[in-house]
Amino acid sequence: MTQTSQQQVVLEARGMSKQFGDHRVLEDINLAVKGSEVVCLIGPSGSGKSTLLRCLAFLEAYDDGDVFVEGELLGYDRGANGRRLRSRPARLREVRRDMGMVFQQFNLWPHMSVIDNVMEALVRVRGMKRDEARRLALEVLDKVGLPEKADVWPSRLSGGQQQRVAIARSLAMSPAIMLFDEPTSALDPELVGEVLQVMKQLAEEGMTMVIVTHEMGFAAQAADRVIFLDQGHILEQGVPKQLFRAPRTERLAQFLQNYL
Ligand code: ADP
Ligand code: MG
């Protein structure tokens, strides 16, 4: 992917629907994320947030609708017997590589030092020389505030530090967009702030991000737009101020009550 201007749509879903068996989990999702935009996805447990993120990253096949990445239609086709892959798998892998994913579980490789965790994909996937990869890895570790942890084992780090390494690992690949699925939900409360701080910094630097979160304070401060998902529908969306201060639906008002 190339450098994106602010107004260009980086990632878009049109009419996306998804069901597991008889259970409709996503229903006619329309969502366009522009360059440098920070979108926070909120909603009750089971409302389809993770599934939406996974479908947007082509980690899960949706049943209906289309996904565009920088204007290119990718993903699946309507076939007679369900959906078939539309894009060549190699193209899909390429595009996926440009999407940084950060999950609740950091999934660092326990048998590799911190810097090797960050370098691994640079060397194996990007084919970068080791010393060049090491230089870049140190740069991103510096960015997440962990330059001195390069040579330690992940198990020696706190959860917050491990998640910052996971962010650095994604960042090293220079993604066009980063998708976060509850990146602080597995952390002890006192470690949440340092991870959110790194994400705020990325937002300020213009990274395009979609973030599933229960951190309403963070969403209020960092998001350009907040989307409330309820039972697989986008029920409301808007700038944080409007959405948090003046919810239009009873469902959102009720949901926000839990965070007061
Ligand atoms: P959220 O992230 O908002 O909590 P999910 O996207 O994880 O919601 O799940 C939405 C709904 O889809 C839930 O009812 C969940 O049980 C169901 N679901 C998620 N993944 C699967 C799966 N692999 N198989 C069957 N049902 C699933
Ligand atoms: Mg989830």
Side-chain angles (χ1 to χ4, degrees):
M1 277 180 228
T2 47
Q3 283 294 91
T4 50
S5 75
Q6 294 217 237
Q7 285 316 303
Q8 194 178 346
V9 173
V10 178
L11 183 60
E12 179 174 8
R14 287 191 204 155
M16 180 189 276
S17 299
K18 164 83 181 165
Q19 49 190 71
F20 289 113
D22 290 339
H23 183 192
R24 216 148 172 73
V25 174
L26 294 175
E27 179 89 56
D28 192 25
I29 299 288
N30 292 288
L31 166 66
V33 184
K34 289 181 183 152
S36 294
E37 196 179 12
V38 177
V39 174
C40 282
L41 270 179
I42 62 171
S45 175
S47 56
K49 304 179 298 296
S50 294
T51 305
L52 175 54
L53 221 55
R54 292 174 57 77
C55 285
L56 287 174
F58 309 108
L59 295 173
E60 187 98 63
Y62 34 92
D63 299 312
D64 218 333
D66 290 311
V67 175
F68 298 81
V69 180
E70 291 183 345
E72 180 182 353
L73 176 56
L74 289 162
Y76 304 88
D77 253 332
R78 262 164 290 265
N81 307 304
R83 298 222 97 183
R84 291 182 313 250
L85 205 57
R86 171 202 295 271
S87 315
R88 283 183 300 115
R91 177 66 189 133
L92 220 47
R93 272 199 302 278
E94 260 170 32
V95 170
R96 220 183 258 143
R97 244 176 246 159
D98 269 337
M99 298 177 157
M101 289 284 287
V102 176
F103 301 95
Q104 190 173 327
Q105 298 305 333
F106 340 116
N107 301 319
L108 299 177
W109 289 293
H111 60 289
M112 284 186 194
S113 67
V114 162
I115 195 157
D116 282 340
N117 265 277
V118 178
M119 285 170 60
E120 178 71 6
L122 291 174
V123 173
R124 299 229 171 186
V125 180
R126 288 273 148 91
M128 207 177 262
K129 293 215 173 68
R130 285 197 71 82
D131 53 342
E132 194 188 342
R134 193 176 166 85
R135 216 175 311 127
L136 180 53
L138 281 171
E139 234 171 71
V140 291
L141 283 173
D142 195 43
K143 218 176 177 66
V144 301
L146 295 170
E148 78 288 357
K149 300 294 186 191
D151 296 310
V152 310
W153 298 108
S155 57
R156 302 293 302 272
L157 301 180
S158 72
Q161 291 171 329
Q162 289 188 49
Q163 189 60 300
R164 282 148 69 197
V165 173
I167 293 172
R169 182 172 60 178
S170 276
L171 211 51
M173 300 293 278
S174 311
I177 185 168
M178 290 184 80
L179 309 176
F180 295 83
D181 194 356
E182 299 198 29
T184 60
S185 292
L187 300 176
D188 292 334
E190 74 272 21
L191 304 176
V192 168
E194 64 190 65
V195 173
L196 295 179
Q197 192 50 47
V198 166
M199 293 166 63
K200 259 183 218 159
Q201 185 194 320
L202 287 178
E204 279 160 19
E205 289 170 6
M207 178 61 76
T208 310
M209 307 200 277
V210 180
I211 304 163
V212 174
T213 187
H214 291 285
E215 297 291 333
M216 297 302 150
F218 169 80
Q221 282 178 26
D224 295 305
R225 182 155 52 114
V226 180
I227 293 179
F228 176 55
L229 210 62
D230 186 54
Q231 299 183 343
H233 291 88
I234 294 181
L235 208 57
E236 288 197 44
Q237 59 177 313
V239 294
K241 224 182 215 170
Q242 176 258 311
L243 199 109
F244 288 131
R245 291 201 190 150
R248 294 198 204 92
T249 60
E250 188 54 36
R251 287 290 298 166
L252 176 55
Q254 257 172 24
F255 174 74
L256 292 174
Q257 283 288 322
N258 302 320
Y259 296 92
L260 292 179

Short mmCIF file of all heavy atoms in Angstrom, two decimals, residues 162-218:
data_model
loop_
_atom_site.label_atom_id
_atom_site.label_comp_id
_atom_site.label_asym_id
_atom_site.label_seq_id
_atom_site.Cartn_x
_atom_site.Cartn_y
_atom_site.Cartn_z
N GLN A 162 4.57 -6.19 27.69
CA GLN A 162 4.41 -7.19 26.61
C GLN A 162 3.48 -6.69 25.52
O GLN A 162 3.73 -6.88 24.33
CB GLN A 162 3.88 -8.51 27.18
CG GLN A 162 4.91 -9.25 28.02
CD GLN A 162 4.43 -10.64 28.42
OE1 GLN A 162 3.96 -11.42 27.59
NE2 GLN A 162 4.55 -10.96 29.70
N GLN A 163 2.41 -6.03 25.94
CA GLN A 163 1.48 -5.51 24.92
C GLN A 163 2.14 -4.39 24.11
O GLN A 163 1.92 -4.28 22.91
CB GLN A 163 0.17 -5.01 25.58
CG GLN A 163 -0.94 -4.65 24.61
CD GLN A 163 -1.40 -5.78 23.71
OE1 GLN A 163 -0.62 -6.35 22.94
NE2 GLN A 163 -2.67 -6.14 23.81
N ARG A 164 3.00 -3.61 24.75
CA ARG A 164 3.71 -2.56 24.00
C ARG A 164 4.69 -3.20 23.00
O ARG A 164 4.89 -2.67 21.90
CB ARG A 164 4.43 -1.62 24.96
CG ARG A 164 3.46 -0.62 25.59
CD ARG A 164 3.87 -0.23 26.98
NE ARG A 164 5.07 0.57 27.03
CZ ARG A 164 5.80 0.77 28.13
NH1 ARG A 164 5.44 0.21 29.28
NH2 ARG A 164 6.87 1.53 28.09
N VAL A 165 5.28 -4.33 23.37
CA VAL A 165 6.14 -5.04 22.41
C VAL A 165 5.29 -5.55 21.24
O VAL A 165 5.70 -5.45 20.07
CB VAL A 165 6.88 -6.23 23.08
CG1 VAL A 165 7.63 -7.06 22.03
CG2 VAL A 165 7.85 -5.72 24.15
N ALA A 166 4.12 -6.07 21.55
CA ALA A 166 3.23 -6.56 20.48
C ALA A 166 2.86 -5.41 19.53
O ALA A 166 2.79 -5.59 18.31
CB ALA A 166 1.97 -7.19 21.08
N ILE A 167 2.64 -4.23 20.09
CA ILE A 167 2.34 -3.06 19.25
C ILE A 167 3.57 -2.71 18.40
O ILE A 167 3.45 -2.44 17.20
CB ILE A 167 1.89 -1.85 20.12
CG1 ILE A 167 0.53 -2.15 20.76
CG2 ILE A 167 1.82 -0.58 19.28
CD1 ILE A 167 0.07 -1.13 21.79
N ALA A 168 4.75 -2.76 19.03
CA ALA A 168 5.99 -2.46 18.30
C ALA A 168 6.18 -3.44 17.15
O ALA A 168 6.59 -3.07 16.05
CB ALA A 168 7.19 -2.51 19.25
N ARG A 169 5.85 -4.70 17.41
CA ARG A 169 6.00 -5.74 16.38
C ARG A 169 5.11 -5.43 15.18
O ARG A 169 5.53 -5.58 14.02
CB ARG A 169 5.63 -7.10 17.00
CG ARG A 169 5.79 -8.27 16.06
CD ARG A 169 5.60 -9.58 16.76
NE ARG A 169 4.28 -9.70 17.37
CZ ARG A 169 3.84 -10.76 18.02
NH1 ARG A 169 4.64 -11.82 18.18
NH2 ARG A 169 2.64 -10.79 18.54
N SER A 170 3.89 -4.98 15.43
CA SER A 170 3.00 -4.59 14.33
C SER A 170 3.52 -3.35 13.62
O SER A 170 3.52 -3.27 12.40
CB SER A 170 1.61 -4.26 14.88
OG SER A 170 0.85 -5.41 15.01
N LEU A 171 3.93 -2.41 14.42
CA LEU A 171 4.39 -1.11 13.92
C LEU A 171 5.60 -1.25 13.01
O LEU A 171 5.74 -0.51 12.02
CB LEU A 171 4.76 -0.26 15.13
CG LEU A 171 4.58 1.24 15.07
CD1 LEU A 171 3.18 1.59 14.60
CD2 LEU A 171 4.85 1.83 16.44
N ALA A 172 6.45 -2.21 13.32
CA ALA A 172 7.68 -2.40 12.56
C ALA A 172 7.38 -2.69 11.09
O ALA A 172 8.18 -2.39 10.21
CB ALA A 172 8.50 -3.54 13.16
N MET A 173 6.21 -3.26 10.83
CA MET A 173 5.84 -3.62 9.46
C MET A 173 5.27 -2.43 8.69
O MET A 173 4.79 -2.60 7.56
CB MET A 173 4.81 -4.76 9.48
CG MET A 173 5.30 -6.03 10.16
SD MET A 173 6.63 -6.84 9.24
CE MET A 173 5.66 -7.73 8.01
N SER A 174 5.27 -1.25 9.30
CA SER A 174 4.73 -0.03 8.67
C SER A 174 3.34 -0.27 8.09
O SER A 174 3.11 -0.07 6.89
CB SER A 174 5.63 0.46 7.54
OG SER A 174 6.95 0.55 7.95
N PRO A 175 2.40 -0.68 8.93
CA PRO A 175 1.06 -0.98 8.41
C PRO A 175 0.34 0.29 7.94
O PRO A 175 0.61 1.38 8.46
CB PRO A 175 0.34 -1.58 9.61
CG PRO A 175 1.03 -1.01 10.80
CD PRO A 175 2.46 -0.83 10.40
N ALA A 176 -0.55 0.13 6.98
CA ALA A 176 -1.36 1.24 6.51
C ALA A 176 -2.50 1.52 7.49
O ALA A 176 -3.05 2.61 7.53
CB ALA A 176 -1.94 0.93 5.14
N ILE A 177 -2.85 0.49 8.27
CA ILE A 177 -3.93 0.62 9.25
C ILE A 177 -3.65 -0.35 10.39
O ILE A 177 -3.06 -1.42 10.17
CB ILE A 177 -5.30 0.34 8.60
CG1 ILE A 177 -6.46 0.61 9.57
CG2 ILE A 177 -5.39 -1.08 8.05
CD1 ILE A 177 -7.83 0.63 8.90
N MET A 178 -4.04 0.02 11.60
CA MET A 178 -3.88 -0.92 12.71
C MET A 178 -5.25 -1.21 13.32
O MET A 178 -6.05 -0.30 13.56
CB MET A 178 -2.93 -0.35 13.77
CG MET A 178 -1.49 -0.31 13.29
SD MET A 178 -0.32 0.24 14.56
CE MET A 178 -0.14 -1.28 15.50
N LEU A 179 -5.49 -2.48 13.57
CA LEU A 179 -6.75 -2.92 14.17
C LEU A 179 -6.44 -3.48 15.55
O LEU A 179 -5.57 -4.35 15.70
CB LEU A 179 -7.40 -4.01 13.30
CG LEU A 179 -7.57 -3.70 11.81
CD1 LEU A 179 -8.15 -4.90 11.07
CD2 LEU A 179 -8.46 -2.49 11.60
N PHE A 180 -7.12 -2.97 16.55
CA PHE A 180 -6.88 -3.40 17.94
C PHE A 180 -8.16 -4.04 18.48
O PHE A 180 -9.23 -3.44 18.40
CB PHE A 180 -6.56 -2.20 18.84
CG PHE A 180 -5.27 -1.48 18.52
CD1 PHE A 180 -5.22 -0.53 17.52
CD2 PHE A 180 -4.12 -1.73 19.26
CE1 PHE A 180 -4.04 0.15 17.24
CE2 PHE A 180 -2.94 -1.06 18.99
CZ PHE A 180 -2.90 -0.12 17.97
N ASP A 181 -8.05 -5.22 19.04
CA ASP A 181 -9.21 -5.86 19.67
C ASP A 181 -9.00 -5.94 21.18
O ASP A 181 -8.32 -6.83 21.68
CB ASP A 181 -9.46 -7.26 19.08
CG ASP A 181 -10.83 -7.80 19.47
OD1 ASP A 181 -11.55 -7.12 20.25
OD2 ASP A 181 -11.19 -8.90 18.99
N GLU A 182 -9.60 -5.01 21.88
CA GLU A 182 -9.50 -4.94 23.34
C GLU A 182 -8.07 -5.11 23.84
O GLU A 182 -7.78 -6.03 24.62
CB GLU A 182 -10.40 -6.00 23.98
CG GLU A 182 -11.88 -5.80 23.62
CD GLU A 182 -12.81 -6.53 24.58
OE1 GLU A 182 -12.45 -6.72 25.74
OE2 GLU A 182 -13.90 -6.91 24.13
N PRO A 183 -7.18 -4.23 23.40
CA PRO A 183 -5.75 -4.41 23.72
C PRO A 183 -5.42 -4.29 25.20
O PRO A 183 -4.34 -4.73 25.60
CB PRO A 183 -5.08 -3.28 22.92
CG PRO A 183 -6.14 -2.25 22.74
CD PRO A 183 -7.42 -3.02 22.58
N THR A 184 -6.32 -3.73 25.99
CA THR A 184 -5.98 -3.57 27.42
C THR A 184 -6.85 -4.43 28.33
O THR A 184 -6.73 -4.37 29.54
CB THR A 184 -6.12 -2.09 27.85
OG1 THR A 184 -7.46 -1.66 27.64
CG2 THR A 184 -5.18 -1.20 27.05
N SER A 185 -7.70 -5.27 27.73
CA SER A 185 -8.66 -6.01 28.57
C SER A 185 -8.03 -7.10 29.42
O SER A 185 -8.61 -7.51 30.42
CB SER A 185 -9.75 -6.62 27.70
OG SER A 185 -10.55 -5.61 27.15
N ALA A 186 -6.84 -7.58 29.02
CA ALA A 186 -6.21 -8.64 29.80
C ALA A 186 -5.23 -8.09 30.84
O ALA A 186 -4.58 -8.85 31.53
CB ALA A 186 -5.48 -9.60 28.86
N LEU A 187 -5.17 -6.76 30.93
CA LEU A 187 -4.14 -6.16 31.79
C LEU A 187 -4.67 -5.79 33.17
O LEU A 187 -5.84 -5.43 33.33
CB LEU A 187 -3.60 -4.89 31.13
CG LEU A 187 -2.96 -5.05 29.75
CD1 LEU A 187 -2.56 -3.68 29.20
CD2 LEU A 187 -1.74 -5.96 29.84
N ASP A 188 -3.76 -5.85 34.16
CA ASP A 188 -4.11 -5.31 35.46
C ASP A 188 -4.38 -3.82 35.29
O ASP A 188 -3.71 -3.15 34.49
CB ASP A 188 -2.95 -5.51 36.45
CG ASP A 188 -2.75 -6.99 36.77
OD1 ASP A 188 -3.73 -7.75 36.67
OD2 ASP A 188 -1.62 -7.36 37.11
N PRO A 189 -5.32 -3.29 36.06
CA PRO A 189 -5.73 -1.90 35.87
C PRO A 189 -4.57 -0.90 35.86
O PRO A 189 -4.57 0.04 35.09
CB PRO A 189 -6.64 -1.63 37.07
CG PRO A 189 -7.13 -2.97 37.49
CD PRO A 189 -6.10 -3.97 37.11
N GLU A 190 -3.56 -1.14 36.68
CA GLU A 190 -2.48 -0.14 36.77
C GLU A 190 -1.58 -0.16 35.54
O GLU A 190 -0.73 0.70 35.37
CB GLU A 190 -1.66 -0.31 38.06
CG GLU A 190 -0.72 -1.50 38.09
CD GLU A 190 -1.39 -2.78 38.60
OE1 GLU A 190 -2.65 -2.88 38.56
OE2 GLU A 190 -0.66 -3.68 39.03
N LEU A 191 -1.76 -1.16 34.65
CA LEU A 191 -0.91 -1.26 33.45
C LEU A 191 -1.62 -0.80 32.18
O LEU A 191 -1.03 -0.73 31.11
CB LEU A 191 -0.44 -2.71 33.27
CG LEU A 191 0.31 -3.31 34.45
CD1 LEU A 191 0.65 -4.77 34.19
CD2 LEU A 191 1.57 -2.52 34.77
N VAL A 192 -2.91 -0.46 32.34
CA VAL A 192 -3.71 -0.08 31.17
C VAL A 192 -3.21 1.24 30.57
O VAL A 192 -3.06 1.39 29.36
CB VAL A 192 -5.21 0.03 31.56
CG1 VAL A 192 -6.02 0.72 30.47
CG2 VAL A 192 -5.77 -1.36 31.85
N GLY A 193 -2.90 2.19 31.45
CA GLY A 193 -2.56 3.55 31.01
C GLY A 193 -1.37 3.62 30.08
O GLY A 193 -1.40 4.36 29.09
N GLU A 194 -0.33 2.83 30.36
CA GLU A 194 0.89 2.91 29.54
C GLU A 194 0.63 2.43 28.11
O GLU A 194 1.23 2.95 27.16
CB GLU A 194 2.02 2.10 30.18
CG GLU A 194 1.76 0.61 30.26
CD GLU A 194 2.80 -0.13 31.13
OE1 GLU A 194 2.85 0.14 32.36
OE2 GLU A 194 3.54 -0.95 30.57
N VAL A 195 -0.27 1.48 27.96
CA VAL A 195 -0.61 0.98 26.61
C VAL A 195 -1.47 2.00 25.88
O VAL A 195 -1.23 2.31 24.71
CB VAL A 195 -1.31 -0.39 26.70
CG1 VAL A 195 -1.82 -0.83 25.33
CG2 VAL A 195 -0.37 -1.43 27.28
N LEU A 196 -2.44 2.57 26.60
CA LEU A 196 -3.29 3.59 25.97
C LEU A 196 -2.47 4.80 25.56
O LEU A 196 -2.71 5.42 24.53
CB LEU A 196 -4.41 4.01 26.93
CG LEU A 196 -5.43 2.92 27.28
CD1 LEU A 196 -6.47 3.46 28.24
CD2 LEU A 196 -6.10 2.36 26.02
N GLN A 197 -1.45 5.11 26.37
CA GLN A 197 -0.58 6.24 26.07
C GLN A 197 0.12 6.05 24.73
O GLN A 197 0.19 6.95 23.90
CB GLN A 197 0.44 6.41 27.21
CG GLN A 197 1.22 7.71 27.16
CD GLN A 197 0.30 8.92 26.99
OE1 GLN A 197 -0.71 9.04 27.68
NE2 GLN A 197 0.64 9.79 26.04
N VAL A 198 0.64 4.84 24.52
CA VAL A 198 1.31 4.52 23.25
C VAL A 198 0.31 4.64 22.09
O VAL A 198 0.63 5.18 21.03
CB VAL A 198 1.91 3.09 23.29
CG1 VAL A 198 2.29 2.60 21.91
CG2 VAL A 198 3.13 3.07 24.22
N MET A 199 -0.91 4.16 22.30
CA MET A 199 -1.92 4.24 21.24
C MET A 199 -2.32 5.69 20.93
O MET A 199 -2.53 6.05 19.78
CB MET A 199 -3.14 3.41 21.62
CG MET A 199 -2.81 1.91 21.65
SD MET A 199 -4.05 0.94 22.47
CE MET A 199 -5.44 1.24 21.38
N LYS A 200 -2.38 6.50 21.99
CA LYS A 200 -2.68 7.93 21.79
C LYS A 200 -1.60 8.59 20.96
O LYS A 200 -1.88 9.39 20.06
CB LYS A 200 -2.76 8.63 23.15
CG LYS A 200 -4.17 8.86 23.61
CD LYS A 200 -4.21 9.63 24.92
CE LYS A 200 -5.32 9.08 25.78
NZ LYS A 200 -5.19 9.37 27.19
N GLN A 201 -0.37 8.23 21.27
CA GLN A 201 0.77 8.80 20.53
C GLN A 201 0.68 8.41 19.05
O GLN A 201 0.87 9.25 18.17
CB GLN A 201 2.05 8.29 21.17
CG GLN A 201 3.34 8.86 20.61
CD GLN A 201 4.53 8.03 21.09
OE1 GLN A 201 4.58 7.60 22.24
NE2 GLN A 201 5.47 7.80 20.19
N LEU A 202 0.36 7.15 18.80
CA LEU A 202 0.21 6.70 17.40
C LEU A 202 -0.89 7.49 16.70
O LEU A 202 -0.74 7.91 15.55
CB LEU A 202 -0.15 5.21 17.35
CG LEU A 202 0.95 4.22 17.69
CD1 LEU A 202 0.39 2.80 17.64
CD2 LEU A 202 2.11 4.37 16.73
N ALA A 203 -1.98 7.70 17.42
CA ALA A 203 -3.11 8.46 16.86
C ALA A 203 -2.65 9.86 16.49
O ALA A 203 -2.96 10.37 15.41
CB ALA A 203 -4.26 8.51 17.85
N GLU A 204 -1.89 10.48 17.39
CA GLU A 204 -1.43 11.85 17.14
C GLU A 204 -0.48 11.91 15.95
O GLU A 204 -0.41 12.92 15.25
CB GLU A 204 -0.75 12.41 18.39
CG GLU A 204 -1.76 12.92 19.41
CD GLU A 204 -1.20 13.03 20.81
OE1 GLU A 204 0.04 13.06 20.96
OE2 GLU A 204 -2.01 13.07 21.75
N GLU A 205 0.24 10.82 15.75
CA GLU A 205 1.18 10.79 14.62
C GLU A 205 0.48 10.47 13.30
O GLU A 205 1.14 10.36 12.26
CB GLU A 205 2.29 9.77 14.89
CG GLU A 205 3.24 10.26 15.98
CD GLU A 205 4.20 9.17 16.44
OE1 GLU A 205 4.20 8.08 15.85
OE2 GLU A 205 4.92 9.43 17.40
N GLY A 206 -0.82 10.23 13.37
CA GLY A 206 -1.57 10.07 12.13
C GLY A 206 -1.81 8.64 11.70
O GLY A 206 -2.24 8.39 10.57
N MET A 207 -1.55 7.68 12.58
CA MET A 207 -1.84 6.28 12.25
C MET A 207 -3.35 6.11 12.10
O MET A 207 -4.13 6.64 12.89
CB MET A 207 -1.31 5.36 13.37
CG MET A 207 -1.59 3.89 13.17
SD MET A 207 -0.86 3.18 11.69
CE MET A 207 0.86 3.03 12.18
N THR A 208 -3.75 5.37 11.08
CA THR A 208 -5.16 5.02 10.90
C THR A 208 -5.47 3.82 11.79
O THR A 208 -4.76 2.82 11.73
CB THR A 208 -5.42 4.66 9.42
OG1 THR A 208 -4.88 5.69 8.58
CG2 THR A 208 -6.89 4.48 9.14
N MET A 209 -6.49 3.93 12.63
CA MET A 209 -6.73 2.86 13.60
C MET A 209 -8.22 2.57 13.80
O MET A 209 -9.04 3.47 13.83
CB MET A 209 -6.12 3.26 14.96
CG MET A 209 -4.66 3.66 14.90
SD MET A 209 -3.85 3.57 16.52
CE MET A 209 -4.31 5.09 17.23
N VAL A 210 -8.51 1.28 13.96
CA VAL A 210 -9.83 0.85 14.41
C VAL A 210 -9.61 0.11 15.72
O VAL A 210 -8.83 -0.85 15.77
CB VAL A 210 -10.53 -0.08 13.40
CG1 VAL A 210 -11.91 -0.48 13.91
CG2 VAL A 210 -10.65 0.61 12.03
N ILE A 211 -10.27 0.56 16.77
CA ILE A 211 -9.96 0.05 18.10
C ILE A 211 -11.23 -0.40 18.81
O ILE A 211 -12.13 0.40 19.05
CB ILE A 211 -9.30 1.17 18.96
CG1 ILE A 211 -8.06 1.72 18.25
CG2 ILE A 211 -8.97 0.65 20.36
CD1 ILE A 211 -7.61 3.08 18.80
N VAL A 212 -11.30 -1.71 19.11
CA VAL A 212 -12.38 -2.20 19.96
C VAL A 212 -11.94 -1.98 21.39
O VAL A 212 -10.86 -2.43 21.79
CB VAL A 212 -12.63 -3.71 19.73
CG1 VAL A 212 -13.66 -4.23 20.73
CG2 VAL A 212 -13.09 -3.97 18.30
N THR A 213 -12.73 -1.26 22.14
CA THR A 213 -12.30 -0.97 23.51
C THR A 213 -13.47 -0.78 24.46
O THR A 213 -14.58 -0.44 24.04
CB THR A 213 -11.40 0.29 23.55
OG1 THR A 213 -10.85 0.45 24.86
CG2 THR A 213 -12.16 1.54 23.15
N HIS A 214 -13.20 -1.02 25.73
CA HIS A 214 -14.15 -0.69 26.80
C HIS A 214 -13.65 0.51 27.59
O HIS A 214 -14.25 0.87 28.60
CB HIS A 214 -14.34 -1.89 27.73
CG HIS A 214 -15.06 -3.02 27.08
ND1 HIS A 214 -16.42 -3.01 26.84
CD2 HIS A 214 -14.62 -4.19 26.57
CE1 HIS A 214 -16.77 -4.13 26.23
NE2 HIS A 214 -15.69 -4.87 26.04
N GLU A 215 -12.54 1.09 27.12
CA GLU A 215 -11.98 2.26 27.81
C GLU A 215 -12.65 3.52 27.26
O GLU A 215 -12.20 4.13 26.30
CB GLU A 215 -10.46 2.33 27.60
CG GLU A 215 -9.70 1.16 28.20
CD GLU A 215 -9.72 1.18 29.72
OE1 GLU A 215 -9.85 2.27 30.30
OE2 GLU A 215 -9.62 0.09 30.32
N MET A 216 -13.75 3.91 27.90
CA MET A 216 -14.55 5.02 27.37
C MET A 216 -13.81 6.35 27.47
O MET A 216 -13.96 7.23 26.61
CB MET A 216 -15.90 5.11 28.09
CG MET A 216 -16.76 3.87 27.90
SD MET A 216 -17.10 3.52 26.16
CE MET A 216 -17.26 1.75 26.22
N GLY A 217 -12.99 6.50 28.50
CA GLY A 217 -12.21 7.74 28.64
C GLY A 217 -11.25 7.89 27.48
O GLY A 217 -11.12 8.97 26.90
N PHE A 218 -10.61 6.78 27.14
CA PHE A 218 -9.69 6.78 26.00
C PHE A 218 -10.45 7.10 24.71
O PHE A 218 -10.02 7.94 23.91
CB PHE A 218 -8.99 5.42 25.89
CG PHE A 218 -8.24 5.23 24.60
CD1 PHE A 218 -6.98 5.78 24.44
CD2 PHE A 218 -8.80 4.51 23.56
CE1 PHE A 218 -6.29 5.62 23.25
CE2 PHE A 218 -8.11 4.35 22.37
CZ PHE A 218 -6.85 4.90 22.21
#
